[in-house]
Amino acid sequence: MYCICQNTSTRRKGTTYLWSDKIKERKEPKPQAQIAAEIGKHPSSVSREYKRNATAKGGYNDSVAQRKADERKQRSALNNKKSDLLWWRIEQWIIEEQWSPAQIVGVLRKEGTRICKQTIYNHIHADPSGKLLANTRHKGKYNKRRKVERKPTKSTIKNRTSIHDRPVEADGSRFGDWEMDLIIGKNGYGAILVLTERLEKLPHGRNARHVAKAVVRLL
């Protein structure tokens, strides 16, 4: 059976199309383009209707489509509006107890009420009196250190010798040939200096205990 749902004539966001005035039950399936032409809708509108309200087996049923539309409507932002009593409790916790939004979210979650921290912050900042903001711990001042991003610059070492231009004798077969590597951290913060003597190898590979012993011996 193929049909489009019943009893409404307009399209609203979050609800389904109900076009049974123009489409009756069909024993034979028809192409969506033909259905769209018969009911005077764009083919993409009919396609979206089938996709979002399809049954588990991929078909279309007017009752299932209407139920899914009602469920989406219940989940919409307008139907998720918090009660005045809940906001009164939240305001009392902020003003009387100086609770943070994170604390309020935790207490309400134990009661079975779900609310987002950002929703509480939005309510605080929307308060025209400023009383809620004045009773927050940070008083509306966020002391975040601003990191200045450092752009990478060219090396400041003058007349430096590239590692590719090292002497032929420094092939790792003799003691005393050192390599040095300076690793700069993200945004120019922090650095690691690595010194390597080419002849010295870690006899036990990267085993943590043996590496620690080798480092202590070298130091």
Side-chain angles (χ1 to χ4, degrees):
M1 179 182 73
Y2 286 78
C3 63
I4 304 292
C5 301
Q6 309 174 11
N7 299 332
T8 45
S9 58
T10 59
R11 175 179 184 258
R12 297 180 181 178
K13 187 176 181 181
T15 61
T16 189
Y17 289 98
L18 308 178
W19 297 323
S20 69
D21 295 341
K22 299 180 180 180
I23 281 193
K24 303 301 180 181
E25 295 184 1
R26 302 183 181 279
K27 296 181 180 179
E28 295 293 334
K30 282 191 175 183
Q32 295 181 11
Q34 183 177 347
I35 296 175
E38 292 181 7
I39 64 177
K41 298 293 181 179
H42 195 277
S44 62
S45 300
V46 177
S47 177
R48 286 195 300 270
E49 172 67 17
Y50 273 90
K51 286 180 180 179
R52 68 180 172 220
N53 292 320
T55 62
K57 295 183 178 180
Y60 187 92
N61 180 276
D62 59 344
S63 300
V64 174
Q66 186 60 50
R67 176 174 54 79
K68 288 187 175 183
D70 293 338
E71 290 174 354
R72 287 195 298 271
K73 185 177 180 180
Q74 291 297 323
R75 294 194 300 266
S76 66
L78 294 177
N79 287 284
N80 198 29
K81 185 178 179 181
K82 306 303 179 184
S83 66
D84 293 338
L85 177 60
L86 177 61
W87 284 122
W88 179 83
R89 293 180 65 197
I90 292 174
E91 291 173 0
Q92 292 303 307
W93 283 329
I94 295 172
I95 297 172
E96 301 295 336
E97 306 294 340
Q98 280 75 49
W99 280 9
S100 68
Q103 288 177 298
I104 296 173
V105 169
V107 171
L108 292 176
R109 184 176 296 150
K110 292 180 179 179
E111 297 178 0
T113 302
R114 291 192 170 275
I115 189 171
C116 177
K117 284 193 301 183
Q118 189 59 48
T119 302
I120 299 177
Y121 275 117
N122 293 342
H123 184 75
I124 292 173
H125 289 290
D127 177 27
S129 67
K131 190 174 182 180
L132 295 176
L133 190 60
N135 282 277
T136 57
R137 296 176 183 176
H138 50 72
K139 311 298 180 186
K141 299 178 181 179
Y142 301 94
N143 298 321
K144 290 185 177 180
R145 288 194 305 172
R146 184 180 179 183
K147 291 186 177 181
V148 179
E149 184 177 354
R150 299 181 183 179
K151 296 182 179 180
T153 57
K154 293 183 179 180
S155 173
T156 56
I157 303 176
K158 294 182 180 181
N159 303 321
R160 65 175 184 165
T161 301
S162 172
I163 192 173
H164 301 292
D165 299 330
R166 62 191 174 197
V168 180
E169 296 81 6
D171 57 357
S173 61
R174 65 180 183 177
F175 180 81
D177 294 324
W178 291 81
E179 290 180 357
M180 180 172 64
D181 190 16
L182 182 63
I183 305 172
I184 306 297
K186 185 179 180 181
N187 298 328
Y189 289 92
I192 299 175
L193 179 63
V194 180
L195 294 171
T196 306
E197 202 288 314
R198 301 197 68 206
L199 181 62
E200 287 289 330
K201 305 294 183 182
L202 295 176
H204 301 284
R206 288 177 286 184
N207 182 277
R209 183 167 59 88
H210 294 295
V211 169
K213 286 185 177 180
V215 171
V216 172
R217 179 175 59 81
L218 291 173
L219 295 176

